Amino acid sequence: MNPELVTLAQSASVTLVGLMATDAWERTRDGVVALWQRARPERADAVAAELGNTREDLAADAGIEGELAAEWQGRIRRLLIDRPQVAEELQRLLDELAPGATAPSATVSQRATATGHSRVYQAGRDQHITER
């Protein structure tokens, strides 16, 4: 097998298992299942179930993260052997999921009205208020 594909499978499996306990999990799961749906549609439902089982196993024992990543590395490696054209799409998915990758931006609108002696504090992120 091409060494680049082996490296890609390893990177993908570590990223996949690492994201199982994060807020990005649903997006990760959907991306992986969609990848399988296009490459091996007959396995997509089974992969979705296996992802759920892996996440449950990880939640029960975080110490097995390496073992779970190794299992997924094997699955991904077999997919890449069977369908090498999937490598580019898998790399795009990893790039989207990479820490620091920008999530799709959303438009936020805030409106507030203060009357009398009231105050309004609004922030799009962290806010620290010190009043004396």
Side-chain angles (χ1 to χ4, degrees):
M1 182 175 183
N2 179 334
E4 290 176 2
L5 293 182
V6 171
T7 302
L8 178 59
Q10 181 179 21
S11 175
S13 66
V14 169
T15 300
L16 175 63
V17 174
L19 291 173
M20 285 185 171
T22 70
D23 293 337
W25 169 240
E26 288 182 19
R27 192 173 80 163
T28 303
R29 181 197 60 220
D30 293 348
V32 171
V33 171
L35 180 76
W36 247 273
Q37 184 65 42
R38 287 185 289 283
R40 306 264 330 262
E42 71 281 1
R43 288 271 305 131
D45 290 338
V47 166
E50 291 165 3
L51 285 167
N53 292 338
T54 301
R55 187 168 191 235
E56 289 174 8
D57 291 346
L58 183 63
D61 183 0
I64 62 170
E65 185 173 347
E67 178 185 332
L68 297 173
E71 289 176 8
W72 277 99
Q73 182 178 351
R75 289 180 182 108
I76 294 167
R77 183 185 52 78
R78 287 188 295 279
L79 177 67
L80 292 173
I81 288 170
D82 192 39
R83 304 277 198 283
Q85 66 275 15
V86 171
E88 189 175 310
E89 186 177 352
L90 177 58
Q91 186 61 58
R92 275 194 307 273
L93 177 62
L94 290 177
D95 292 343
E96 288 174 15
L97 298 172
T102 56
S105 61
T107 302
V108 176
S109 176
Q110 296 180 341
R111 183 183 347 219
T113 303
T115 61
H117 295 291
S118 61
R119 294 183 182 160
V120 175
Y121 299 98
Q122 292 182 309
R125 229 178 102 80
D126 298 343
Q127 183 177 56
H128 302 279
I129 301 169
T130 305
E131 293 186 23
R132 295 178 196 234

